[in-house]
Amino acid sequence: MSALWREPAPLVLASKSAIRMAILKDAGLPVQARPAELDERAVEAQLSGDGANPANVAGALAVAKAIDVSSRLAGRLVVGADQTLSLDGERFTKPVSRDAGRSQLLRLSGRTHALFSGAAIVRDGHVLWSGVAEVRLATRPLGEDFLDAYLEAAGEGALTSVGGYQFEGIGAQLFERVEGDYFAILGLPLLPVLAALRSLGALAS
């Protein structure tokens, strides 16, 4: 257990995301993964039907995931996270196939989109903290030949992130400019999460 960690048990990550797990571990937090048992698409559909914008959807899904896992782990601190992508008000989800990923990237080509990264900290079903970070990403104009080569090189990894890119790897080649937090692009607004954990007494301050 990290000398900085003040809880008797590790932090629980309500996700199977390898990059979110790595972000927390690299920051010195003891963490265990317990993916939420949640129909995310159904929750998204309900939120959209209620008029929620992409930022609110990211925040609500992060909370829902953390609450779902927290309900099965009494006393544990649970962090949930989610991302949404918005282009001119339209919300994108993870591509379900290589062709879908290609189609999304063509739509993002030469344009600037918003990425919303939501996170929540929950214990025993009670939301102790939640927040949403916004990042603006300017995609460079993408040629057909480049997209084919990129998707071939990225493989299944292109299907694991909203928008069809993995910014921490080869996906960085897609962009001209970003405005916002690097960790939020990867899927977890780390610095606000760490600040919240310190304020809750879970991390040494």
Side-chain angles (χ1 to χ4, degrees):
M1 199 82 75
S2 169
L4 299 175
W5 186 244
R6 297 293 188 249
E7 288 283 305
L11 180 68
V12 178
L13 175 63
S15 172
K16 60 183 178 181
S17 166
I19 187 63
R20 288 185 181 121
M21 176 69 79
I23 288 170
L24 291 168
K25 284 187 173 180
D26 287 348
L29 276 65
V31 58
Q32 297 173 340
R34 295 288 188 276
E37 299 173 6
L38 196 69
D39 186 343
E40 295 181 39
R41 301 291 83 81
V43 175
E44 286 180 352
Q46 180 179 345
L47 290 167
S48 296
D50 293 340
N53 61 37
N56 291 338
V57 170
L61 279 170
V63 168
K65 290 177 181 180
I67 288 176
D68 176 76
V69 173
S70 174
S71 69
R72 297 188 295 277
L73 294 172
R76 299 289 294 276
L77 272 183
V78 179
V79 60
D82 200 83
Q83 279 185 316
T84 57
L85 185 156
S86 176
L87 177 67
D88 297 336
E90 180 183 353
R91 184 168 52 83
F92 285 40
T93 59
K94 292 179 183 178
V96 297
S97 66
R98 176 169 168 164
D99 286 344
R102 192 177 196 279
S103 177
Q104 285 193 5
L105 290 171
L106 278 172
R107 295 185 62 192
L108 298 177
S109 175
R111 305 175 71 183
T112 298
H113 64 270
L115 189 66
F116 299 97
S117 186
I121 299 172
V122 172
R123 193 197 305 268
D124 294 327
H126 299 290
V127 180
L128 305 178
W129 173 87
S130 65
V132 179
E134 178 180 355
V135 183
R136 305 282 296 180
L137 297 97
T139 310
R140 67 184 185 85
L142 305 173
E144 300 277 354
D145 290 343
F146 170 82
L147 272 178
D148 289 338
Y150 164 75
L151 289 167
E152 180 66 27
E156 291 299 310
L159 309 182
T160 62
S161 63
V162 174
Y165 54 82
Q166 288 183 302
F167 191 82
E168 70 276 15
I170 195 171
Q173 295 199 35
L174 300 170
F175 301 100
E176 291 180 332
R177 183 180 67 261
V178 298
E179 300 172 5
D181 179 62
Y182 172 74
F183 296 109
I185 300 174
L186 303 191
L188 184 73
L190 177 64
L191 300 184
V193 168
L194 293 177
L197 290 170
R198 283 192 295 270
S199 71
L200 293 169
L203 271 177
S205 58

